[in-house]
Amino acid sequence: MSDTGFCPELSGDVREVRDWVHEFARTVVRPAGAEWDEREETPWPVIQEAAKIGLYSLDFFAQQWFEPSGLGLIVAFEELFWGDAGIGLSIVGTGLAAAALSASGTSEQMGTWLPEMFGTPDDVKLGAFCASEPDAGSDVGSIRTRAVYDEASGDWILNGVKTWATNGGIANVHVVVASVDPALGTRGQASFVVPPGTPGLSMGQKFKKHGIRASHTAEVVLDNVRLPGSCLLGGKEKLDARLARVREGGRSGEQAAMRTFETTRPSVAAMAVGIARAAFEYARDYAREREQFGRKIGENQAIAFLLADMATRVDIARLMTWRAAWMARNGRSFDQAEGSMCKLVAGETAVWVTEQAIQILGGAGYTREHPVERFHRDAKIYTIFEGTSEIQRLIIGRAVTGLPVR
Ligand SMILES: Cc1cc2nc3c(=O)[nH]c(=O)nc-3n(C[C@H](O)[C@H](O)[C@H](O)COP(=O)(O)OP(=O)(O)OC[C@H]3O[C@@H](n4cnc5c(N)ncnc54)[C@H](O)[C@@H]3O)c2cc1C
């Protein structure tokens, strides 16, 4: 792994990617945002357009994931979510499932299933990552979905109910976290890939949401889902060795769901930065035009200072996100929970900045005539999913105190 040293100046290649994604976000995504928010449906035509230009593709995700500074995917996500977060998540939701597969899968499993998650530009497919359950949200150790090994056939049989799954039930490939040994909590869990058309997997209720409404969120029911041994990510030998170590009292870093969240936190933070920036820019432009009391509202310090704080906080969130992404890419360990720090700051910044944007637009900001109320609804999910703000503080609190904070 080459070490590039952290530098907040983007390379020419990354700038090119940023500008290319920005153009797509400006001309295709932003204009479609309001419509798909109202429709609350997966924006298949927009995903197809993204696939046609190569933005929704395994190639693009893989290339940017491995970009040496770690910032390729990060700047792409900021631009896309600057366009619209609901559509953005519909385009990158597959990336979470792909990250889950890559975190635990063998190269053979990646070679087989990653292309199936994306499909082709003519036949676009999606991936879904299913960890959360009705009684296991923040408390991932309480996952009840069971995976039982059938010695006779070498198959695994999965039973349980997953909830809140982005693309759940409409994805071609689902990655499911299940408990193999419930007594071991998160350490007794493993991830499985559920291939297209597997009997027993079905969609439960689809949720109607506050924001990111173009992104599909649903329950996934697993009723006697029978999977060949090859669907256990990482393989049985590795799982058996790990469980044996844990049972003997040894530590094992392999906590299936947690591994996925660690690698994806900076990219989730980048989405929040994109929403926050969109709201700041919209409010700034409005404040330059709107007049009350015979002057631009932006000429009042009350408004200009608010815009100053908004711009500053967006930059803080972006810099923390870039640092964490660079650290992850260059093999630095998150000793102070820097991944959680960036997700916490970016999520809370997005909520705060989008709320201030509504304030700056006044009554107009409260209506659907302007996108800032949608930005605000969309931003809120970033203090909830991929670990709530409280859970990020728990992780950071433990890291900085070295105490078993609860
Ligand atoms: C739109 C959307 C998309 C999602 N996509 C996916 C997906 O693709 N795949 C997936 O697996 N999951 C997904 N999720 C699930 C998401 O990760 C969970 O909602 C999240 O982890 C919180 O879990 P919960 O909703 O059960 O809340 P709970 O865990 O019940 O938390 C409720 C409240 O209690 C607080 N709390 C809980 N424990 C503690 C504690 N120890 N200390 C302090 N406070 C605490 C929380 O911070 C929160 O404020 C999605 C959720 C949503 C809403």
Side-chain angles (χ1 to χ4, degrees), residues 84-236:
D84 181 72
I87 294 177
L89 197 63
S90 300
I91 293 175
V92 310
T94 299
L96 179 63
L101 200 133
S102 308
S104 315
T106 61
S107 41
E108 200 185 336
Q109 287 169 326
M110 288 193 264
T112 307
W113 300 114
L114 289 175
E116 293 272 352
M117 282 187 183
F118 287 89
T120 63
D122 294 326
D123 188 14
V124 164
K125 304 284 187 204
L126 301 172
F129 173 63
C130 312
S132 304
E133 297 183 0
D135 292 321
S138 302
D139 183 8
V140 192
S142 300
I143 282 178
R144 286 200 203 148
T145 294
R146 279 283 272 141
V148 176
Y149 187 61
D150 177 12
E151 294 279 352
S153 61
D155 290 347
W156 287 90
I157 294 129
L158 269 60
N159 278 290
V161 177
K162 293 292 177 183
T163 194
W164 310 123
T166 301
N167 297 338
I170 60 168
N172 203 34
V173 178
H174 292 74
V175 176
V176 172
V177 181
S179 179
V180 176
D181 185 342
L184 302 179
T186 49
R187 293 174 202 283
Q189 294 169 354
S191 294
F192 296 83
V193 64
V194 183
T198 302
L201 184 147
S202 61
M203 188 170 94
Q205 73 158 310
K206 179 187 167 183
F207 295 102
K208 289 178 84 71
K209 303 194 299 294
H210 176 66
I212 53 161
R213 299 199 301 186
S215 170
H216 172 102
T217 316
E219 288 178 331
V220 171
V221 180
L222 301 145
D223 181 14
N224 279 322
V225 172
R226 184 173 276 273
L227 302 172
S230 58
C231 288
L232 166 65
L233 295 185
K236 185 148 188 311

Side-chain angles (χ1 to χ4, degrees), residues 9-28:
E9 194 167 283
L10 300 176
S11 70
D13 286 351
V14 175
R15 278 204 306 272
E16 219 170 90
V17 166
R18 179 195 62 191
D19 295 346
W20 177 65
V21 178
H22 182 78
E23 202 45 25
F24 182 74
R26 188 181 67 80
T27 56
V28 179

